[in-house]
Amino acid sequence: QVQLVESGGGSVQAGGSLRLSCVGSGYAYSTYCMGWLRQAAGEQREWVSVLSASGSTNYTDPVKGRFTISRVSAKNTLYLQMDNLKPEDTATYYCAAARAFRDGWCADIKSWGQGTQVTVSS
């Protein structure tokens, strides 16, 4: 059973940085497409960034140039470095593991983390 645990959320002022971590267990981490999604209050969950098993990355336009996704396979850990944070980045951030990488994003999600809150004040 795939299990994902996120950490690293918090409250920062605009322009600040946070690094989210997602530790996985129960599966061969490096063989999955991994990604981060976020859900703001009253909004639908959306992809933020993905990292395919082969190392391809993708980012939603609003975070390009500010967020960086990476992983350390030996630690089964996925990261999301978030710099120059903006109030519109405020959301609950979720880590996900998926079976496929399709059309630039992860597809067929197998597991979700519990989410970590990011709040950016102006």
Side-chain angles (χ1 to χ4, degrees):
Q1 182 178 356
V2 177
Q3 293 184 324
L4 302 172
V5 179
E6 302 104 332
S7 62
S11 297
V12 296
Q13 290 189 328
S17 297
L18 286 173
R19 188 177 77 159
L20 305 183
S21 299
C22 172
V23 180
S25 61
Y27 66 109
Y29 195 87
S30 61
T31 65
Y32 278 70
C33 183
M34 300 295 298
W36 293 95
L37 303 93
R38 66 186 179 187
Q39 187 168 19
E43 302 290 334
Q44 290 189 335
R45 197 170 296 189
E46 62 175 0
W47 282 110
V48 175
S49 181
V50 299
L51 176 58
S52 75
S54 64
S56 297
T57 60
N58 198 14
Y59 300 88
T60 187
D61 285 346
V63 310
K64 285 181 179 178
R66 300 188 297 120
F67 290 12
T68 304
I69 192 170
S70 63
R71 69 177 174 223
V72 178
S73 297
K75 295 183 178 181
N76 268 15
T77 303
L78 180 75
Y79 300 100
L80 185 68
Q81 177 66 41
M82 305 187 294
D83 298 318
N84 191 21
L85 282 159
K86 302 177 179 181
E88 50 264 43
D89 295 319
T90 295
T92 300
Y93 284 71
Y94 298 90
C95 174
R99 298 180 186 274
F101 180 68
R102 190 179 308 134
D103 297 328
W105 300 101
C106 296
D108 188 14
I109 292 175
K110 181 176 178 64
S111 183
W112 297 89
Q114 82 287 354
T116 186
Q117 178 67 35
V118 171
T119 302
V120 185
S121 58
S122 57

